[in-house]
Amino acid sequence: MNTRTLLFSGLLALLTALAGIAKAASADLLADYSAQAGRSADPKLGQRFFTVTHGGEWSCASCHQALPSAAGRHAGTGKPIDALAPAFNPKRFSDPAKVEKWFRRNCKDVLSRECSAAEKADVLAWLITLKP
């Protein structure tokens, strides 16, 4: 085996491991939100929640795109935003404290309040369904 093949194999193994960690972290968060909500998450409700406005000017999709598998842009500042779906950005849901920070901040922008555990569970359940 040549050096290039070994490097490629190592990189592939690392990416596979990171994807597995991200999947586990997302699943743990989903289980926590569902438990807090007292019900199973509903991906269809999550997609609807993500793409519609809730009495304000913005929806989640205003910045993250209707299909958040690619980078988006902040609707107000134009600042680039990395892909949101875990399969396209394994780091996105790997740190629960950051997840809570961004849910709190973004829900206030979209809803003028914090998201409920059920809303978080539904959105995360939908995001997990998005695959390359």
Side-chain angles (χ1 to χ4, degrees):
M1 220 181 259
N2 66 31
T3 304
R4 181 178 275 166
T5 303
L6 286 173
L7 286 173
F8 180 75
S9 296
L11 180 59
L12 185 59
L14 177 62
L15 290 174
T16 302
L18 288 174
I21 291 167
K23 185 176 180 181
S26 298
D28 288 346
L29 282 170
L30 180 58
D32 288 346
Y33 291 141
S34 294
Q36 290 172 32
R39 67 166 177 81
S40 296
D42 184 334
K44 288 184 182 193
L45 287 177
Q47 181 179 17
R48 184 177 188 303
F49 180 91
F50 193 88
T51 55
V52 302
T53 58
H54 301 269
E57 187 177 330
W58 292 349
S59 69
C60 304
S62 297
C63 297
H64 294 286
Q65 303 185 55
L67 191 60
S69 56
R73 290 205 171 274
H74 188 276
T77 66
K79 180 182 173 187
I81 300 172
D82 290 337
L84 186 60
F88 297 87
N89 184 355
K91 297 183 305 181
R92 184 55 94 167
F93 291 94
S94 62
D95 181 342
K98 283 186 180 179
V99 172
E100 278 303 305
K101 170 189 162 184
W102 286 108
F103 260 131
R104 187 173 38 260
R105 189 176 289 179
N106 293 338
C107 291
K108 286 186 178 182
D109 285 344
V110 171
L111 301 169
S112 298
R113 65 170 172 79
E114 289 192 31
C115 287
S116 68
E119 290 163 338
K120 293 175 192 177
D122 292 342
V123 168
L124 184 54
W126 174 62
L127 291 172
I128 288 170
T129 69
L130 302 177
K131 304 292 181 207

